[in-house]
Amino acid sequence: MNDTKSNAMWGGRFAAGPDAIMEAINASIGFDKRLYAQDIRGSRAHAAMLAAQGILTDKDAEAIREGLLTVLSEIEGGSFEFSTALEDIHMNVEARLKALIGEPAGRLHTARSRNDQVALDFRMWVRDQCDAAIDGLTELMTALVAQAEAGADWVMPGFTHLQTAQPVTWGHHMMAYVEMFARDRSRFADARVRMNESPLGAAALAGTSFPIDRHATAEALGFDRPSANSLDAVADRDFALEFLSAASICAMHLSRFAEELVIWSSAQFRFVALSDRFSTGSSIMPQKKNPDAAELIRAKIGRILGAQVALFTIMKGLPLTYSKDMQEDKEQTFDAADSLMLALAAMEGMVKDMEANRPSLEAAAASGFSTATDLADWLVRELDLPFRDAHHVTGTLVAMAEKKGCDLPDLTLAEMQSVHEGIREDVFGVLGVHNSVASRMSYGGTAPEQVRAQLARWKEMLG
């Protein structure tokens, strides 16, 4: 087959042939330029340490410091020209530094490899994302607490299997998500503690013969300590996997809440009204108000969980230490972090803006025989029935009410006594939804008093 024709078939847009293809597959600057701030910060710390150790002259160290600040300013100002031929952010920065200060730039890479350099940059970037996620979750939790406080004693149906189960309070439901997102926040915080070890100084894989001070660079870059094994330092991507794991669980929680908002804002439920800021109209149906923000949040778990699976797949078969496969660790992590932060911000906005429809919530709470468990509990407590017997009596009364087309409180005392003669007039005191929720005084229960106690605890913790 003709070589030109062959290249056209498999080379596609790479008109220059294999060299262009290799450059395209090898280069990472298209995405790892996001690491510029971490790369320059790490280089500044490394240069300062080399000077302190007498490996670099103070004059060269100062030239490097000033040159790196200029590069940083150019990137942030948008005037820096990134080159695919220079492969990655490290070489792009170093090449520009050399153009600015000349020969001293070549001394910056003393006692360092791109292996520990990229491990450092990526680790610092992920650490920053943990901090951002913690802040975003704190803001969302604060918004949920405000919703819970406004409706601490508003009744609504609690569901199992999306079927009416027992009455709960709006405040209690909101606080359930506070607990979920608090666990997410703690996962990011825990992951941050584990990843806070500096790989800088591990060099290519074996460490270096230069008398460097890894503790000094670790401290300068905000790490608790340097990593203890040079092989592990350059081979490790657990920090990214932990971040993606925490992000996936958090996205799952966001998706569950988003699903409820989609259901609750429907014409069939009317539990909440979402603001126009987080809804869209229909191109053909003028009456529609679509909860698009909630639906998109619900979908973000796919991208975030996909990123986690992708990185697990990349890492699972790699021998120690560095392999080029690991260049594929960043794009999906960047995308997952962006998706998570966008979802957190959108959910916080929806929670702040949404208005709960108290009459609809209360009407729904009283439907579906939601106080049946309260009746069974009353039979156990007041008539000393075994719970299984009380369950049977209550089921019979529910069937009776269902046949009459009414709810339990609408049955007459005589009708109830026809099922069990011991039932007394005071049974009606437990059948109202407000009485039901007020009685749930166990720690962590839905009683308004318990909800307010949890609110006070969380308001103190959130500051």
Side-chain angles (χ1 to χ4, degrees):
M1 183 179 287
N2 183 280
D3 286 344
T4 303
K5 186 176 182 181
S6 173
N7 184 60
M9 290 178 65
W10 62 262
R13 66 184 178 85
F14 301 106
D19 289 346
I21 295 171
M22 184 59 198
E23 180 179 291
I25 197 171
N26 193 51
S28 59
I29 189 61
F31 51 86
D32 71 14
K33 61 187 176 184
R34 290 184 66 160
L35 301 176
Y36 74 88
Q38 290 79 14
D39 191 72
I40 291 172
R41 185 183 173 194
S43 290
R44 290 178 62 193
H46 184 64
M49 179 275 295
L50 291 178
Q53 294 298 105
I55 302 169
L56 198 65
T57 67
D58 290 341
K59 181 180 178 181
D60 284 350
E62 178 61 18
I64 289 170
R65 188 186 78 84
E66 291 298 323
L68 287 171
L69 288 176
T70 299
V71 174
L72 180 63
S73 178
E74 289 177 351
I75 295 175
E76 291 180 340
S79 64
F80 189 95
E81 293 186 11
F82 293 100
S83 168
T84 303
L86 292 171
E87 294 185 16
D88 56 34
I89 186 60
H90 323 299
M91 296 305 294
N92 270 262
V93 169
E94 187 173 326
R96 180 56 182 153
L97 182 65
K98 184 175 182 180
L100 288 168
I101 69 171
E103 188 265 346
R107 302 185 186 280
L108 173 60
H109 211 52
T110 305
R112 187 177 70 170
S113 162
R114 277 195 289 178
N115 290 357
D116 63 337
Q117 191 176 359
V118 70
L120 172 71
D121 295 356
F122 193 28
R123 188 177 290 252
M124 287 198 296
W125 191 90
V126 172
R127 185 179 65 179
D128 290 343
Q129 296 308 300
C130 284
D131 292 338
I134 289 167
D135 289 344
L137 283 162
T138 300
E139 293 299 316
L140 175 55
M141 291 162 65
T142 300
L144 286 164
V145 164
Q147 280 282 355
E149 190 169 30
D153 57 357
W154 298 1
V155 292
M156 66 174 291
F159 298 97
T160 62
H161 310 279
L162 204 56
Q163 304 294 315
T164 299
Q166 294 177 266
V168 296
T169 53
W170 172 259
H172 198 51
H173 200 112
M174 293 297 101
M175 293 305 291
Y177 282 104
V178 172
E179 295 290 337
M180 281 191 210
F181 294 129
R183 292 193 298 274
D184 292 324
R185 194 172 65 160
S186 71
R187 272 184 280 271
F188 285 113
D190 289 346
R192 192 193 193 285
V193 170
R194 268 184 296 281
M195 71 178 64
N196 208 33
E197 295 184 346
S198 172
L200 186 59
L205 74 161
T208 177
S209 59
F210 288 95
I212 62 173
D213 185 350
R214 295 190 63 208
H215 290 275
T217 50
E219 182 178 357
L221 295 170
F223 289 100
D224 294 329
R225 64 191 70 84
S227 54
N229 185 286
S230 61
L231 298 172
D232 180 56
V234 297
D236 172 42
R237 292 298 183 269
D238 288 3
F239 60 91
L241 286 167
E242 278 204 76
F243 169 76
L244 291 173
S245 297
S248 295
I249 297 172
C250 182
M252 176 269 293
H253 288 152
L254 288 167
S255 181
R256 294 184 71 180
F257 193 17
E259 170 70 359
E260 293 204 311
L261 294 181
V262 170
I263 293 170
W264 290 353
S265 61
S266 68
Q268 290 71 28
F269 273 72
R270 298 187 186 278
F271 282 6
V272 299
L274 301 177
S275 74
D276 291 345
R277 295 199 309 150
F278 294 97
S279 305
T280 64
S282 166
S283 62
I284 191 172
M285 295 168 283
Q287 84 282 7
K288 293 287 293 299
K289 184 177 180 181
N290 300 324
D292 282 8
E295 292 172 352
L296 289 166
I297 290 171
R298 188 175 59 187
K300 291 295 183 186
I301 176 67
R303 295 175 71 145
I304 296 170
L305 182 60
Q308 180 188 1
V309 172
L311 187 52
F312 269 116
T313 306
I314 290 165
M315 297 302 298
K316 73 172 182 63
L318 300 186
L320 296 181
T321 56
Y322 182 83
S323 296
K324 195 67 171 181
D325 311 51
M326 292 165 71
Q327 183 168 291
E328 295 294 316
D329 59 359
K330 296 172 195 66
E331 281 185 279
Q332 59 265 20
T333 306
F334 292 159
D335 183 76
D338 291 345
S339 295
L340 178 67
M341 293 311 301
L342 182 58
L344 284 170
M347 185 61 83
E348 181 204 351
M350 281 194 295
V351 170
K352 279 184 173 179
D353 286 2
M354 74 179 179
E355 296 180 5
N357 186 338
R358 187 176 183 180
S360 290
L361 290 168
E362 185 160 342
S367 67
F369 311 107
S370 65
T371 56
T373 305
D374 298 275
L375 174 56
D377 288 347
W378 184 89
L379 292 169
V380 171
R381 189 172 57 251
E382 299 296 327
L383 303 187
D384 199 28
L385 265 65
F387 183 80
R388 288 302 171 200
D389 293 347
H391 188 283
H392 177 75
V393 170
T394 302
T396 304
L397 290 170
V398 165
M400 181 184 291
E402 194 169 34
K403 187 175 182 180
K404 284 189 64 180
C406 68
D407 211 337
L408 284 172
D410 301 316
L411 293 174
T412 67
L413 179 60
E415 286 171 329
M416 290 190 180
Q417 289 176 335
S418 71
V419 176
H420 193 286
E421 60 183 13
I423 297 176
R424 306 186 302 269
E425 184 74 31
D426 57 316
V427 71
F428 291 98
V430 302
L431 294 181
V433 289
H434 289 281
N435 291 331
S436 173
V437 296
S439 71
R440 306 295 173 179
M441 279 293 293
S442 56
Y443 180 82
T446 193
E449 185 176 331
Q450 286 295 316
V451 172
R452 291 190 175 100
Q454 294 301 324
L455 277 166
R457 180 173 71 92
W458 275 110
K459 287 175 73 174
E460 181 178 353
M461 286 195 291
L462 292 170

